Amino acid sequence: MNDYIKLLQSQPILRRLSTVQLIAYFGAWFSNVAIYTLLLNMNVSAEVIGFTAMLHFLSGIIQAPFSGSIIDSVKPKKLLLSLLVFEIFTTLFLIFVNNVSDLWLLYTLVFLKMAAASFYFTTEMSLLPKILDGKKLQKANEIHSIIWSFSYTLGMALSGFVVFWFGVKVAFMLDASMFVVAFYILYKTKIDVEFIKTKESFVHMMRDTFRYLKRTPHALHLMLLHAFVGFTAFDALVALMVDKYYASIIATSLALGMMHTSRAIGLVIGPMLLSKWANNKKFSYFFLSQALAIWLWAYLMRDFYTSLFASVFVGLFTTTLWSYTYTLLQQNIDSKYYGRIVAYNDMLFLASATFTSFMIGFLATKGYSLEFITFLIGFMFIIGALYFRWIIKNQDIKDIKI
């Protein structure tokens, strides 16, 4: 923990960006719980829940070919502020969703809101390697993930009670107000990084990116490896678990909040305990451990309290998987292509999360048990472990520098 604190103290830009993350992410979970509570109260089908979860990621996939070129062409602060404004209004307009006939509005707002959120994230992750490198960059990625997880933990815990006591509309308004505070802090932040406005057209930049990936196949393999973490997109699964197994013993919003909170506890403490063990020689064991944790969750799923216990272990390895694979990619690409490669990396990650969300809803409607679906997700991390070993053996991958 001291390493993270020292890094934040020595890096003022990272410190301010992290503060913005903390506030914006914390508010975001209020609307997340509110959306799924609203859907369950409408008695929608598993397919609708899965489709809504899929929309959280689909927008990032569609915009990736363009967002990377924009990131490499626009000053980062200007772009980040514009995206926060977009998130404020798309979040606030969710208060107009009242019943099943308004699902089209919900779908539209979720799609646009998450498009802006994904764009913001990609812009920030393209900015970090311009400020830091080596182990400092890995620590910065871990800080980002810890903040996400901490906000997830506290936001999910409180949002369950807020939605239960005050309703979904209050949750949406609280979320929007958090983004307003985040906008003000970012506006006051001075971001001094080298920015060279390119004179290349978007089409030329896209073609150049594909030529670069062809010349450096290890970059594509690292992008695909990072995408395995997208299989931990459990929003639809948790909503279905609550509806099927726990709704009879606890209020829906409280169950959703508690389930997400327990996993988030693992997400927060995971990198503090495990990141020092992460290196190219040992990292395949993190994938194997993730698989075993998910299988434990599947085995204990039917009981609410043992499921809470197991979900902590599900989150324990996820943060390190995410941050280490992200840092490997950042350290193994040319700085000229940061924006575009990170955008395509996020596209593949979101495609994995989208596929996972869709298949959870699809398989559930076809009669497959939630335990079996969870087992399949765990099996994907066995494949990830084998794939990582193959990459390290066959590709020129630089280990993360101290």
Side-chain angles (χ1 to χ4, degrees):
M1 179 59 75
N2 287 336
D3 291 339
Y4 300 126
I5 295 173
K6 289 178 181 178
L7 181 61
L8 289 171
Q9 289 174 338
S10 64
Q11 299 291 331
I13 297 177
L14 177 63
R15 185 168 64 249
R16 296 299 291 270
L17 289 174
S18 298
T19 303
V20 171
Q21 289 173 18
L22 179 62
I23 296 170
Y25 285 176
F26 178 76
W29 300 119
F30 280 84
S31 58
N32 186 284
V33 169
I35 286 170
Y36 288 105
T37 300
L38 183 62
L39 288 173
L40 292 175
N41 290 341
M42 291 179 184
N43 295 315
V44 299
S45 67
E47 284 183 307
V48 171
I49 292 174
F51 182 72
T52 304
M54 182 181 72
L55 285 176
H56 278 74
F57 311 108
L58 185 62
S59 53
I61 299 171
I62 295 174
Q63 73 184 11
F66 312 100
S67 62
S69 298
I70 294 172
I71 290 167
D72 287 335
S73 306
V74 180
K75 290 184 178 180
K77 181 177 177 179
K78 181 179 179 181
L79 185 55
L80 291 171
L81 287 172
S82 300
L83 293 168
L84 282 177
V85 170
F86 205 79
E87 288 194 73
I88 290 169
F89 286 103
T90 52
T91 301
L92 188 60
F93 289 164
L94 284 167
I95 64 175
F96 298 112
V97 178
N98 296 301
N99 50 56
V100 175
S101 64
D102 296 324
L103 281 178
W104 66 272
L105 179 60
L106 176 69
Y107 294 155
T108 302
L109 291 173
V110 167
F111 182 87
L112 294 176
K113 173 180 166 65
M114 297 312 300
S118 175
F119 206 154
Y120 184 98
F121 169 79
T122 303
T123 304
E124 186 173 33
M125 297 309 291
S126 303
L127 177 61
L128 288 181
K130 298 177 183 178
I131 304 171
L132 305 163
D133 60 8
K135 285 293 183 182
K136 288 184 178 179
L137 179 59
Q138 182 185 349
K139 291 295 181 185
N141 288 336
E142 289 173 358
I143 287 171
H144 179 101
S145 192
I146 289 171
I147 288 172
W148 183 92
S149 305
F150 176 77
S151 304
Y152 189 31
T153 305
L154 191 58
M156 283 294 186
L158 293 178
S159 60
F161 289 102
V162 169
V163 173
F164 180 69
W165 286 331
F166 303 108
V168 296
K169 295 187 186 299
V170 171
F172 292 142
M173 288 187 286
L174 282 173
D175 188 359
S177 66
M178 291 287 186
F179 281 114
V180 172
V181 175
F183 177 90
Y184 176 78
I185 295 174
L186 183 60
Y187 180 77
K188 292 292 185 179
T189 301
K190 187 177 182 180
I191 300 179
D192 289 323
V193 294
E194 182 181 7
F195 176 76
I196 302 174
K197 186 174 178 61
T198 180
K199 296 181 180 179
E200 299 174 353
S201 67
F202 279 5
V203 174
H204 183 273
M205 292 175 72
M206 291 171 64
R207 289 176 179 172
D208 188 35
T209 305
F210 286 114
R211 287 194 291 266
Y212 175 73
L213 287 173
K214 187 175 181 180
R215 295 194 307 269
T216 55
H218 68 268
L220 181 59
H221 285 297
L222 290 175
M223 291 160 64
L224 292 171
L225 180 71
H226 182 74
F228 273 84
V229 188
F231 292 117
T232 60
F234 293 131
D235 284 3
L237 180 63
V238 170
L240 294 174
M241 288 164 57
V242 169
D243 187 49
K244 184 174 182 179
Y245 296 137
Y246 317 138
S248 61
I249 61 172
I250 189 171
T252 297
S253 61
L254 296 180
L256 285 170
M258 292 176 68
M259 287 300 300
H260 286 297
T261 298
S262 61
R263 182 162 70 101
I265 291 172
L267 293 170
V268 170
I269 65 176
M272 300 178 190
L273 299 176
L274 304 172
S275 66
K276 63 182 178 181
W277 305 106
N279 57 56
N280 288 357
K281 291 182 179 180
K282 300 177 181 178
F283 199 64
S284 60
Y285 295 110
F286 283 79
F287 280 92
L288 294 174
S289 298
Q290 181 72 77
L292 293 174
I294 293 173
W295 286 345
L296 176 66
W297 196 28
Y299 180 73
L300 300 175
M301 182 179 292
R302 289 178 181 267
D303 181 83
F304 179 65
Y305 298 102
T306 58
S307 181
L308 288 176
F309 170 79
S311 62
V312 174
F313 289 94
V314 171
L316 195 63
F317 304 95
T318 307
T319 302
T320 305
L321 283 172
W322 182 89
S323 61
Y324 191 83
T325 53
Y326 218 121
T327 308
L328 275 182
L329 177 66
Q330 291 168 321
Q331 292 282 266
N332 284 275
I333 58 175
D334 295 340
S335 59
K336 176 184 176 182
Y337 298 94
Y338 278 154
R340 283 164 279 175
I341 296 300
V342 167
Y344 282 111
N345 178 62
D346 291 344
M347 179 185 73
L348 291 175
F349 174 85
L350 293 170
S352 172
T354 301
F355 174 77
T356 302
S357 298
F358 173 78
M359 290 305 298
I360 288 170
F362 175 78
L363 292 174
T365 59
K366 296 300 179 181
Y368 291 93
S369 69
L370 298 182
E371 291 88 342
F372 177 75
I373 295 170
T374 308
F375 175 84
L376 289 180
I377 294 172
F379 182 73
M380 296 307 299
F381 286 92
I382 300 295
I383 299 175
L386 297 174
Y387 185 40
F388 180 82
R389 290 188 176 183
W390 181 89
I391 292 173
I392 296 301
K393 183 178 180 181
N394 294 280
Q395 300 293 315
D396 182 22
I397 305 297
K398 302 174 186 174
D399 212 334
I400 296 175
K401 297 176 291 184
I402 298 176

